[in-house]
Amino acid sequence: MEKTYSVVFYSKPVVDSVKKMKDLLKSKIEWYNSCNSEAHITICEFKIEESQLDSIRQKLIKICDTFTPSQVYLDHFGSYENAGAFFIAPNEESKNNLKPIMKKIHETLKSLQLKKSDDPHMSIGRRLTPENLKIAFELFTTIALQFECNEIVLREFDPKVKQFFVIDAIPFGSNPEPEFVQGSLF
């Protein structure tokens, strides 16, 4: 059976902090897209047959072994006005650490039809009206969250509750791939 999966950066302490923000925004503007989803930074989303999942998991384990953990600092808010998205963004250094990981995961899963995210961000709300975006920017002016990015999380979409839930966490191994050096026979 075909199912929808996503690969994300995820931190339980950050989830709890962002939930309070989402609940506050919901109290001001009522229900909105993403108000019930747990905070995360999306890397990609895809649909595959459930029988393919172990093969995908093995590819992710192999690439994650090459990644080194780093601190991620989420220090400002932003929006994608065309999508009505309001989000928490990482600082430049954190963004520069996350982007190569995202790119390598995209390359690793390139055989799949991916919905990719190339810009690391943590959504608070999506498909907000311009008025509700304005309310979000008025409610939230400063942010200082951080977490150790030392794994990626694989999630499965539950069509009944219309939410993703965590099915696996794949740790970083801090084993960078050795550079291939052309040897000489003589």
Side-chain angles (χ1 to χ4, degrees):
M1 185 171 104
E2 193 173 72
K3 292 187 173 183
T4 302
Y5 299 93
S6 70
V7 179
V8 303
F9 298 113
Y10 178 93
S11 163
K12 193 63 180 150
V14 170
V15 165
D16 296 338
S17 297
V18 175
K19 176 155 181 28
K20 291 180 179 105
M21 297 171 66
K22 288 182 175 224
D23 289 347
L24 177 60
L25 183 58
K26 190 175 172 185
S27 76
K28 302 291 184 198
I29 67 172
E30 299 182 351
W31 185 91
Y32 61 89
N33 285 79
S34 294
C35 68
N36 295 320
S37 72
E38 287 192 321
H40 62 278
I41 297 174
T42 300
I43 299 169
C44 62
E45 193 178 299
F46 53 90
K47 288 182 181 179
I48 55 169
E49 291 296 321
E50 199 173 0
S51 60
Q52 295 175 270
L53 184 59
D54 202 51
S55 158
I56 297 302
R57 184 183 278 125
Q58 292 309 314
K59 287 180 180 182
L60 291 171
I61 289 169
K62 187 174 181 193
I63 193 67
C64 283
D65 188 51
T66 69
F67 300 146
T68 302
S70 66
Q71 281 297 118
V72 173
Y73 298 94
L74 302 161
D75 69 353
H76 63 283
F77 295 100
S79 68
Y80 301 126
E81 290 182 23
N82 58 340
F86 179 73
F87 58 82
I88 304 168
N91 68 11
E92 273 311 301
E93 183 181 345
S94 297
K95 191 181 273 201
N96 292 338
N97 289 334
L98 294 174
K99 278 186 166 189
I101 294 171
M102 295 167 78
K103 189 173 184 198
K104 281 190 178 169
I105 290 171
H106 296 159
E107 288 168 8
T108 299
L109 302 179
K110 69 179 175 237
S111 64
L112 305 174
Q113 276 204 296
L114 297 179
K115 274 172 60 179
K116 299 187 280 194
S117 172
D118 297 315
D119 186 31
H121 66 281
M122 189 173 285
S123 293
I124 292 178
R126 293 179 301 119
R127 297 191 203 120
L128 298 176
T129 63
E131 298 77 31
N132 287 345
L133 262 178
K134 185 174 184 281
I135 290 168
F137 271 108
E138 288 168 357
L139 271 179
F140 307 112
T141 55
T142 60
I143 185 81
L145 295 172
Q146 71 181 63
F147 67 96
E148 183 178 21
C149 182
N150 57 8
E151 64 185 7
I152 59 168
V153 168
L154 184 60
R155 306 181 313 160
E156 182 181 312
F157 186 72
D158 182 336
K160 287 188 182 80
V161 294
K162 296 188 179 350
Q163 293 293 330
F164 282 94
F165 61 94
V166 173
I167 58 172
D168 202 1
I170 303 169
F172 294 173
S174 300
N175 292 310
E177 293 174 324
E179 292 292 318
F180 179 73
V181 179
Q182 182 70 46
S184 170
L185 293 172
F186 304 102

